[in-house]
Each structure stands twice: as C-alpha cells, then as structure tokens.
Amino acid sequence: MMKTLRHFYFDIFFTIVCLMGAAYWGFTHGGVTAMLSALFITLVLALMEISLSFDNAVVNASVLKHWDKFWKTIFLTVGMLIAVFGMRLVFPIVIVAVTADMGMREVVDLALNNPKEYSAKLMAHHAEIAAFGGMFLLLVFLNFVFDDKDIHWFGWLEKRLAKFGKVDAMSVFVAIIALMISLSWVDDVHEPAVLMAGVWGILIYMAVNVLSAFLESDDGEAVDGNEVAGAIAKGGIAGFLYLEVLDASFSFDGVIGAFAITNDVVIIMTGLAIGAMFVRSMTIFLVEKGTLDEFVYLEHGAHYAIGALAIIMLISMRFHVPEIITGLIGVAFIVASVIASIRHRKHNSPNATDG
C-alpha cells in the first residue's frame, strides 16, 4: 500500500496546497459559505478531470513505457508545467484574447473580475475548440483500430478494420468525412472557423508523424506507419510533442465542461490542475507496475474511450452532452477492458483447463 502511495505523495501535497488556495480565494470573496463552496467545487472539478482523463493516462503509459529516464523526467517536469499552467490556465486566455481581439492583460482582468462574460466569450468558440480536439483524438483512435495488432479485443470487428489500414491515409480520409458532416451542425457564420480548426487538428497530428518519420529515418528514406509509431514510442521530441498535443486535446473537454459547473476561473484552474497532476502520476504508476502487460485489453479500452470522446466533441457542436455522460462512457470502456483482460488471463493461464 505504501509503495503504491509513493507515486502520489507529491500529488497529495499539491492537492492540499491547492485546496488551501481555493479556501482562501473563496473566503476573501464571500466568507465561510463561499469558502466551503469553493472547496467542494474544486474537489468536484478534480474528480471530473481524473475521470475524463484516465483513458489519457493509459494511452500515455502505452507510449511512455519504452522511453528512457531522461524523457520520462522531461514529461513529468516540463510536460507537467505545460499541462497544468499552459493548457488549463494560459490557453483558454489566449483563445479569448485572439478571438475577441483583446489584450492578454485585459482578458486576465476580465477572467478575474467578470468571469461570466469571460465564460461567455470562451463558450462562443466551443465549436472551433471541439473541431480541433475532436479531429486530433479521432485520428488517434482511427490509427489504433486500423493498425494490424497482435491482440484483438473485438476480434471480429478489429480484424476487418485492420484491412482498411492497408489503404494509405485511410484514417485521414475518414476524419475529413467526419469533419464535413459535423460542419452541417454549425451555422454559416461559424462554418469557416470550424473548418479551419478541424483542418489544423488534422495537420498537427500529421505534423507529429512527419517529425517522427524524419527522426526515425536517418538516411531520408521513406518510412511506413509502423516505423513512425516506433519513433513516437521511443521518446524524444516527437514523442513528447505527441503526448502534449494529446493531453491538450483531452484538456479542451475538461476546461469547457468546467464552466458548466462554475464561472470562477481561479477555482476551475485549481481543480483541473489537481486532476492533471494525478493523471500524470497515474501514467507513471501504470508504466512502473507493468499494468498494460498484465491487462492486455486496457489499451484497447482507452482508445475506444478516446474514439467516443472525439465523437462526443463533434456532436457537442450542435447538442449539449452532459459531462457525466462523457466521463461514464470513458469509465465504462476502461472497466470493460479490465474485466475482459482478467478473463483473458484466467483463460490463458497455465492452470486453465480446456473447458
């Protein structure tokens, strides 16, 4: 038990500090009642972030397990700063600053002193954010299911989908079709911006793969998809960028969903930061404990959860999808994959009978 907790010592300390900060912020803005409310909402947001991002931790672990100690350290330090402060704090402010043609200082002042207006400006561009994140996550999912894997969870389905992977750029083709369909869900005024955001999501995913290909091939010869995946899996700058963009795509959903709970930017960033810290630690825990080797379908469940999240993000351009639905779908895939892994392990154990 103590060995397990050691992975989360810093997270517990970080959580205590954040809760103290949230309590102070609430007390100075409304007394004891506001303080208790701030503490409660911060904990809710932290749990929401963890539930939404557990599949992210599993996918991170599947990539990170082959990295050397240096790049693991970079992921936990520089990557942590980007995840907590960059994506949960700076990026939403940048979005409002760019789209509303406002200065950064002006947006920060708006977020702190007029959170309702800040929230409204951010939510006004939800479709663009969903298109970018949805496209990137959809490509992560499609490239997984189109890959000819050694282990299949839904064998009858995955073996057939793997045949599509033999066609070049099939995942990009499917993603573009999904983007074109989702454009019919937005009004004409926002359609160009949503299209551009979706295209950028596809381009960023492809850019990481192009960089991986260059790093993998020293002599400049062409490399196939498996070699590109290998470059990402080995770590380095390509793998680091891949995980950071993946984390960013996950964080969009958490940031937008948080505003459905509260408009207080400080409380939102505090709660999401706690969740992001635990997700990072869960990633390392999964790597060091070899959980992915023990639960062979866990990675499958995480990718199916990513696919579901990508579809939900695209649907959310037109329809509101409650955050609890998003979280439960992800958890359901993870739990189902764990149960299937346990059954697989029992069936294939040396003591298992032919019956």
Side-chain angles (χ1 to χ4, degrees):
M1 183 65 178
M2 295 302 295
K3 290 183 178 180
T4 300
L5 285 176
R6 70 178 178 84
H7 290 84
F8 302 97
Y9 282 157
F10 182 77
D11 305 316
I12 295 172
F13 171 76
F14 183 78
T15 300
I16 293 173
V17 173
C18 287
L19 290 177
M20 291 173 62
Y24 175 78
W25 176 262
F27 183 77
T28 56
H29 286 73
V32 176
T33 301
M35 179 186 73
L36 295 176
S37 176
L39 286 172
F40 176 74
I41 294 175
T42 300
L43 288 173
V44 169
L45 291 173
L47 292 173
M48 182 190 76
E49 178 72 4
I50 293 171
S51 65
L52 288 174
S53 300
F54 183 77
D55 43 3
N56 186 15
V58 175
V59 176
N60 285 351
S62 69
V63 176
L64 200 64
K65 64 181 180 180
H66 299 299
W67 288 17
D68 58 32
K69 184 177 180 180
F70 173 78
W71 282 104
K72 286 181 182 178
T73 303
I74 292 295
F75 176 75
L76 289 175
T77 53
V78 178
M80 191 69 252
L81 292 174
I82 295 174
V84 173
F85 298 103
M87 296 314 306
R88 273 75 177 181
L89 178 61
V90 178
F91 188 72
I93 292 175
V94 171
I95 290 178
V96 174
V98 173
T99 56
D101 194 22
M102 299 170 62
M104 290 286 290
R105 183 175 297 180
E106 187 180 359
V107 175
V108 172
D109 180 71
L110 182 69
L112 295 176
N113 299 310
N114 195 347
K116 288 186 178 181
E117 184 178 349
Y118 171 79
S119 172
K121 289 183 179 295
L122 182 63
M123 295 296 288
H125 299 279
H126 168 70
E128 296 99 293
I129 297 172
F132 178 89
M135 284 298 99
F136 188 90
L137 293 178
L138 184 60
L139 283 170
V140 171
F141 167 71
L142 290 174
N143 276 284
F144 179 80
V145 296
F146 289 158
D147 182 39
D148 189 11
K149 299 175 287 297
D150 295 328
I151 298 176
H152 298 284
W153 186 12
F154 303 111
W156 59 273
L157 174 63
E158 294 177 359
K159 289 179 181 178
R160 286 166 174 76
L161 290 176
K163 295 180 180 179
F164 289 99
K166 297 178 181 179
V167 180
D168 292 338
M170 175 58 73
S171 58
V172 175
F173 175 71
V174 174
I176 291 176
I177 290 178
L179 178 60
M180 293 298 104
I181 294 175
S182 65
L183 287 178
S184 64
W185 299 336
V186 299
D187 55 64
D188 295 339
V189 176
H190 293 94
E191 191 172 297
V194 172
L195 174 62
M196 185 62 66
V199 170
W200 271 111
I202 296 173
L203 288 177
I204 293 297
Y205 183 90
M206 295 178 67
V208 174
N209 281 269
V210 169
L211 178 59
S212 301
F214 278 117
L215 295 177
E216 178 70 15
S217 180
D218 294 330
D219 55 6
E221 294 181 359
V223 293
D224 61 23
N226 291 331
E227 290 173 316
V228 169
I232 292 176
K234 290 177 182 177
I237 187 64
F240 178 75
L241 290 176
Y242 175 82
L243 289 187
E244 289 306 314
V245 178
L246 182 65
D247 180 75
S249 300
F250 273 93
S251 70
F252 294 150
D253 187 65
V255 171
I256 296 297
F259 279 99
I261 298 175
T262 178
N263 288 323
D264 194 320
V265 177
V266 173
I267 297 301
I268 287 175
M269 297 307 114
T270 302
L272 297 184
I274 293 173
M277 289 293 294
F278 273 96
V279 169
R280 276 297 197 276
S281 296
M282 283 191 294
T283 298
I284 297 300
F285 176 79
L286 292 173
V287 172
E288 294 186 357
K289 292 296 182 180
T291 305
L292 295 181
D293 296 327
E294 184 177 357
F295 298 96
V296 295
Y297 298 130
L298 187 57
E299 187 177 354
H300 292 70
H303 277 89
Y304 280 109
I306 286 176
L309 176 59
I311 295 172
I312 288 173
M313 291 183 76
L314 296 178
I315 293 176
S316 68
M317 296 182 192
R318 178 69 179 271
F319 306 100
H320 172 67
V321 181
E323 285 67 37
I324 189 172
I325 299 297
T326 305
L328 287 177
I329 289 176
V331 170
F333 275 115
I334 296 295
V335 171
S337 65
V338 170
I339 294 174
S341 298
I342 294 174
R343 290 176 177 173
H344 176 272
R345 187 172 58 193
K346 289 182 178 179
H347 181 74
N348 292 278
S349 65
N351 297 325
T353 63
D354 292 337

